Every structure is written in C-alpha cells, then in structure tokens.
Amino acid sequence: MRKKRYIFFSVTLIIMFLLLIARLVQLQLIETESYSKHHINLIEESVAQRTQEIIIDDGRGQFLDRNNQPLTYSEKSVLILFPFLKTMRWDSGKIASILEVSEDQLLDQIDKAKEPFVFSEIDPLILSDEQVEQINHLKIPGVFAVRKKFIEKNPLAAQFIGITGEQAETFLKRYPDKKGMQNQKIGITGLQKQFDEFLLPDGASKLVYHVDAMGGPLFGINVKYTGPSNPFFPVNIQTTLNKDLQDKLEKLVDQYKIKKGGVLLLDIEKNEILADVSRPKINPKHPYENNAVENLMLKQQIPGSIFKTVVAAASIETGVVKENEMFPCSEDLYEKPAERALGDLNFDESFSASCNRAFGDLAKRLKGKDPNLLEEYAKKLGLIGKISWQGDVYHFTDFRQLREDEGQVFSKEDSKVDDNFVAQTGIGQQEVRVTPLAVANMMATIARGGERQAVKAVSAIKYQDGTTMMDFPKQGNKDDSISKVTAMKLQGMLRHVVTSNQGTGRWFQNLPYEVAGKSGTAETGIYNENNQQLHNKWFAGYFPFNQPKYALVVVNLGVPENEGGINPLFSDIIQSIYEYDQ
C-alpha cells in the first residue's frame, strides 16, 4: 500500500515537473512574442520592468503637404529628464542657467516625475542649437537634449487625414500575420486608414535607460538609443494639400461659424485637392462627438440647383433645347405662380437666374428621349461614380486613395419614368445625392474643356530620406466625356451666372479673380425646433475664368432658408487665394 502511494506521489511529481517545463518552454521559446489570447509580447514586457524610456518618435509614417511641409507632426529640440535625478547629486544650477529658468522650477518638475519627461511648464521648452550643444557637453546622467517628434493635437485637415487609435481586435483582423504587434496605433478613418499598411512602424525610436530595483541608473551615464535599423522607413505620405491654403480656408470657415459643411478646393490642371475643410471640427478628446470624424466633403448631400448643370449639358448635347427658346419662369414646376416672378427667359438666362420651370421641363424632355440620360451625363461630368484615384499599388488591387460616397441621380428605376419625379430631379431634389468633392470635380471637368480626370489626394509615397517610393500618375477618361463644344457653352453659362444682373452669382462680380459658377439651395425635408425647414446652401465654381486654375465648392448644410448664406465666405476665400498667389 505504501509502495503504491510512493509510486503515485512520484508520478504526480514527474507530471507536475513536466508541466512546469512545458510552461517554461511556452513562455521562453514558443509564445515569447504572442502570449495568451491577448497576444502579449513577453520580451517587451520584461524589458519594460528594468528600464526607463521615453519615445522620441513612435515610428508611424506621417503626412506631408505638396511642398513637403509636415501636416501631422513637428520636430523640436527639447530637454529630456529622467526621474532618478532626484536621488543623485548633479549640476542642476548649470542646466537651469543654460535654460534661463529658475533652479527651483527645474527641480520641482523632476521631484514630481515618475517617468522620463520633456521639460516644460505647459508647452515643451524649445531649445536652440547652442543650448543643445551646451547641455549634452556636460554629459549628466539622465539629462539629454534631443530632437523629438510631436504629433499635432489639432492638425490641419483633420477629417481628410483621419484619426488613429489602438484597436487590437481590428489590428489582428487587418493584419493576422502580425500577432504581438496589436498594441500599435492603426488608421481608423481618412487617409490614415487608406494608407495604413504603408504607415505601420517597424519600431519606435526611444531613449532607454537601464535602472536597478530602486530605479537608479545601472550603467552610469550610458543611455541607449533604439530605433528602426532601416534608414528608409517609416515612409511618409505626400498629400496634394497646400498647407498654407488649408490653414487660410479653415480660419475663414470658422470665422463664418459654419457648424456643418465646409470647403473643397481643387487644382484644375492636375485635379488635385488643395484644401479640404469639414465641419464640425474634431474634438481630439472626443473625436466621435457630433460624428465629427466624418469628412463631409466626401459624403453625399442634396445639391439643389447645382444639378441644373447636368441638365444643361445633356440638353445641349442631345438637342432637346433650342437656342432662342423661351421658358415661362414666373411659373413653378406645376404651372402655378413661382416665388420669384422672373418673366420669360431663354435657356442661358434661365440657367443664370436658376429658373426651376425651365430645368424641370428640360428634364422631362430628356426622360422622353431616354430615361437614363441624366445619369449618363452626371457620370460624363464626373458628378457620380468613383471620383478619386484608384488603381493597382503593389499587392493592392483597385487601391483607392479616398473612400467617398459615389452619389446617385435615382435610387429606384420607377423614379426615372415619373414626370413629376423627373421634374424635381432636374432641379436637384428628390433622390439626387452628390458629394462636394464630386461637385468640385464637375466644375474642374468643365473648366478643362470636358476632360475628365480622377481626383488625387496623394501625389507620392516617400522614403524617410525624401526619395520617392512610388508616385500616383494622372488618370483620365476622354472616351466618356462631354464634347469641347458643350464644355465651352457651359463655361459661358456658368460665367453669366456671375455677370448677369439676374444671375444668382452676381455677388462675385467685383472680385480680383473672374468667377464662373452655379448656386444651389436644396430643401432637405428636415425641420428644426422652430418648425423651419432646413436647407443645404451651395456655391460651386472655378476661377480665373480665362485661365482656370482653381475649382471651389462651399456648402453650408442644414440651415434655415433665411440664415447661413455662403456668398460672403466664398467671396473672402477667393480674395484670400488671390492675395496668396500674389
């Protein structure tokens, strides 16, 4: 009996010993970089227990404007201090003298510190090159003057660039072969998401100090710098934005208190986005508040009379309108007295004054010829469908720079053959939905003489040393576009919107750049607490008229009919761009 107990006890010990060995093998050899369902990196965790460190650069790729100015970060020379200084004797007076601050201020911040930190009171104290040299010459343990990368808390073009965050589950779904790295930040919206795989870091750049159990320095004054070994990475994304224009336009949009809406500015020649302003503004602490992370310049909206440009193009090319034909513009779509008694107007005048009756009638004629014509011409003008650059990039097929809504003219086939529905569609109501990006693209297409191009948001991916990893070539589509003759007629009509005394754009007659464009006021069918219907107010155009350079869209969404006009904002933007160009 006793022998059996000995055998049982021995076997139990052997099993426990084998389990212990198996556990050690699991921890030390097999799952060192991806332990448990949480995929914990045990090597990194063990190093963290015996070091103090501060990140100089998190290693994620960043964004530049078209002139290589940083959009999402800034690099500054700052002073890094380690908390173990409070237990040492060191020449704090000399450092304070170099910094031109009081010694008490310096020691007070160190005394409060529990981990390495950037010296400051509120904002980091920026050092001159001379101060950097003087501080590092002293070789004081735990005192280092370095160049540190700071991520902007309130970056320009926040929705266009997008936000990042730590989402381990999303990371592993997106990159199942990168277990153990899931605590890195990934792109959640905007370009951050679209270009995420290019931006992922190989590792952070850090100042690392080995410490003993009491938190004191282990290796004297030796500090270890760790960072990616490949000098070409991380890559940076060179956007098409102009940082200076983006800044000017954001300030103007905020000056005019646009709560929902924004501005989109295109370079006509290259069809590149120069500025993208979306409001409401993102609150960095609560980015999803008011759904502010959405870039409204890429979201479909009701356009109102902006859509009459499509009806005009289709009417010209199909011949459903006669040059001197007159329209009863004192009547509405249903032959009742209109709110504006405009009298009888010809085709050009009807467009300038934005006569609903004329374009409701023309839409019905187009429907009689072919119910698909409105959709066909919306595509020819670059107003619906995929607008942004897309193509094969490395192992990505049909890679898209932007994820914009594709827009629509009709959502149901039945809508195309109903006279009343089609008439309302002709003035940009009912099921018509387009993005501000697409409206700007339409204006640029007309300004170029009908040549359609994909819109670019990014021009190149750049290595860390500034050389080009890849660029994004121009993409055009000449086969399915309006004729040059039609484009020229549309150009004249868009210009008359501004020059005509009855034109809805006459506000812009005296600007330093000659403007061509179209207004739009769309009913949304939504009412506020005062029972006022809310409207989308637009103006879209291009300038200078004779040598087109810019296409501009301004939109104020969901405002009462007698509030939120955007003409003063559009005007000030053109004035600001003119001054910038000079």
Side-chain angles (χ1 to χ4, degrees):
M1 195 69 181
R2 183 179 295 178
K3 185 178 180 181
K4 287 183 178 179
R5 281 200 296 266
Y6 283 145
I7 293 171
F8 176 78
F9 184 69
S10 299
V11 170
T12 302
L13 281 176
I14 291 170
I15 291 171
M16 290 175 64
F17 185 69
L18 290 173
L19 288 173
L20 180 60
I21 291 174
R23 183 67 162 168
L24 288 172
V25 169
Q26 179 190 20
L27 295 176
Q28 297 291 328
L29 300 176
I30 300 174
E31 295 186 7
T32 53
E33 295 184 7
S34 183
Y35 173 66
S36 82
K37 65 179 181 180
H38 301 294
H39 305 287
I40 297 168
N41 191 315
L42 296 174
I43 296 174
E44 290 182 358
E45 293 297 319
S46 66
V47 170
Q49 289 180 1
R50 60 180 187 271
T51 59
Q52 288 183 352
E53 64 182 35
I54 185 167
I55 293 176
I56 305 301
D57 180 354
D58 67 6
R60 184 174 175 84
Q62 298 296 331
F63 291 85
L64 311 171
D65 86 335
R66 68 198 297 113
N67 300 313
N68 291 311
Q69 293 189 72
L71 289 168
T72 48
Y73 71 96
S74 58
E75 282 191 299
K76 302 170 185 176
S77 294
V78 295
L79 180 66
I80 305 292
L81 298 169
F82 281 69
F84 57 69
L85 287 166
K86 68 184 76 171
T87 66
M88 298 172 51
R89 295 188 64 179
W90 57 288
D91 198 348
S92 56
K94 181 67 173 175
I95 296 295
S97 175
I98 294 171
L99 297 177
E100 299 180 356
V101 300
S102 72
E103 187 176 4
D104 288 343
Q105 180 183 337
L106 185 66
L107 293 174
D108 181 60
Q109 288 198 29
I110 293 170
D111 189 54
K112 293 175 181 176
K114 294 182 179 180
E115 55 188 27
F117 67 99
V118 176
F119 175 71
S120 64
E121 271 300 306
I122 299 175
D123 295 317
L125 181 67
I126 310 304
L127 307 180
S128 66
D129 291 343
E130 184 181 358
Q131 286 174 313
V132 170
E133 186 177 348
Q134 289 175 341
I135 290 168
N136 288 337
H137 181 72
L138 294 174
K139 296 183 179 179
I140 300 173
V143 179
F144 307 99
V146 300
R147 292 282 290 175
K148 186 178 187 309
K149 187 174 283 186
F150 291 86
I151 302 302
E152 298 288 352
K153 293 180 181 177
N154 294 290
L156 294 170
Q159 292 90 345
F160 176 81
I161 299 294
I163 63 172
T164 60
E166 292 183 13
Q167 294 185 351
E169 190 175 336
T170 302
F171 183 97
L172 292 172
K173 284 181 180 178
R174 203 179 287 180
Y175 310 112
D177 58 330
K178 296 183 184 292
K179 290 179 180 177
M181 300 171 61
Q182 70 277 2
N183 291 327
Q184 294 181 12
K185 288 182 178 178
I186 57 172
I188 299 171
T189 63
L191 296 182
Q192 291 278 17
K193 181 178 180 181
Q194 295 303 106
F195 287 84
D196 189 52
E197 189 159 348
F198 295 100
L199 298 167
L200 287 178
D202 281 343
S205 299
K206 308 174 184 176
L207 281 180
V208 180
Y209 221 113
H210 287 77
V211 295
D212 58 26
M214 301 300 293
L218 196 59
F219 300 131
I221 65 169
N222 293 326
V223 63
K224 185 180 180 183
Y225 170 86
T226 65
S229 57
N230 192 328
F232 294 105
F233 291 90
V235 299
N236 289 319
I237 306 300
Q238 183 169 38
T239 71
T240 60
L241 295 183
N242 180 310
K243 186 176 182 178
D244 296 330
L245 288 176
Q246 179 73 32
D247 185 42
K248 289 176 183 292
L249 269 56
E250 290 204 18
K251 287 175 179 174
L252 283 170
V253 167
D254 292 337
Q255 178 184 321
Y256 280 94
K257 297 180 170 56
I258 302 295
K259 294 179 180 178
K260 185 179 180 183
V263 171
L264 195 124
L265 181 70
L266 282 185
D267 174 312
I268 288 175
E269 182 184 355
K270 297 180 179 179
N271 222 39
E272 295 179 343
I273 298 174
L274 292 170
D276 178 323
V277 185
S278 179
R279 292 295 181 265
K281 187 180 279 191
I282 291 179
N283 177 348
K285 293 182 179 178
H286 305 285
Y288 294 96
E289 190 174 71
N290 299 320
N291 210 24
V293 293
E294 279 199 345
N295 185 353
L296 294 184
M297 299 303 97
L298 309 183
K299 305 301 291 183
Q300 59 184 22
Q301 318 291 345
I302 307 171
S305 294
I306 294 278
F307 190 75
K308 291 172 183 173
T309 312
V310 174
V311 180
S315 298
I316 292 167
E317 289 215 335
T318 59
V320 301
V321 63
K322 298 180 178 64
E323 189 172 339
N324 296 317
E325 181 179 359
M326 304 301 287
F327 295 89
C329 290
S330 290
E331 295 179 359
D332 65 12
L333 296 176
Y334 310 106
E335 302 181 13
K336 295 179 180 179
E339 289 184 14
R340 295 181 301 147
L342 298 170
D344 291 347
L345 303 177
N346 64 26
F347 179 51
D348 191 317
E349 293 167 338
S350 296
F351 188 79
S352 300
S354 204
C355 166
N356 286 344
R357 175 62 188 275
F359 286 86
D361 285 355
L362 289 171
K364 288 188 285 187
R365 291 183 198 175
L366 290 166
K367 185 261 309 181
K369 197 174 186 70
D370 183 345
N372 296 310
L373 280 172
L374 288 177
E375 287 178 324
E376 286 179 16
Y377 278 86
K379 287 179 181 177
K380 286 175 183 284
L381 289 168
L383 191 62
I384 62 173
K386 291 182 175 69
I387 305 299
S388 65
W389 193 100
Q390 65 176 53
D392 295 342
V393 177
Y394 292 106
H395 59 276
F396 301 101
T397 56
D398 289 329
F399 176 84
R400 293 176 66 180
Q401 290 191 355
L402 298 173
R403 285 285 170 182
E404 78 276 8
D405 291 347
E406 295 188 17
Q408 65 180 37
V409 178
F410 300 103
S411 65
K412 301 183 291 289
E413 287 296 312
D414 291 349
S415 304
K416 298 179 182 181
V417 293
D418 181 283
D419 269 359
N420 288 334
F421 206 97
V422 168
Q424 287 280 347
T425 300
I427 63 170
Q429 293 288 161
Q430 292 295 347
E431 295 166 350
V432 183
R433 300 290 185 275
V434 298
T435 66
L437 172 69
V439 173
N441 186 49
M442 177 176 72
M443 290 295 162
T445 299
I446 294 168
R448 283 192 300 268
E451 181 193 347
R452 227 170 83 206
Q453 293 181 21
V455 175
K456 283 202 290 184
V458 170
S459 57
I461 301 175
K462 298 255 180 130
Y463 289 118
Q464 193 64 210
D465 65 356
T467 58
T468 300
M469 176 183 181
M470 69 160 293
D471 55 24
F472 294 88
K474 170 183 168 182
Q475 289 181 338
N477 189 339
K478 294 181 179 179
D479 297 332
D480 187 22
S481 58
I482 60 172
S483 70
K484 287 187 176 181
V485 173
T486 300
M488 287 179 64
K489 288 183 179 179
L490 289 174
Q491 290 168 3
M493 293 171 72
L494 290 167
R495 178 61 181 152
H496 292 161
V497 170
V498 176
T499 58
S500 169
N501 289 332
Q502 280 190 303
T504 55
R506 56 188 179 276
W507 178 284
F508 310 119
Q509 288 179 0
N510 298 315
L511 291 173
Y513 279 140
E514 291 184 334
V515 177
K518 186 74 187 77
S519 62
T521 302
E523 297 178 350
T524 64
I526 301 170
Y527 292 79
N528 64 13
E529 63 277 5
N530 298 319
N531 203 33
Q532 296 171 302
Q533 183 172 195
L534 302 180
H535 295 73
N536 295 340
K537 298 194 174 182
W538 303 70
F539 198 89
Y542 67 90
F543 56 94
F545 175 66
N546 290 317
Q547 293 181 308
K549 187 175 180 181
Y550 304 103
L552 175 65
V553 173
V554 176
V555 60
N556 198 3
L557 300 168
V559 293
E561 186 174 11
N562 297 320
E563 298 175 23
I566 42 80
N567 287 349
L569 173 57
F570 191 96
S571 179
D572 280 357
I573 288 173
I574 291 178
Q575 183 69 45
S576 183
I577 292 172
Y578 175 80
E579 291 169 1
Y580 174 81
D581 285 345
Q582 303 313 304

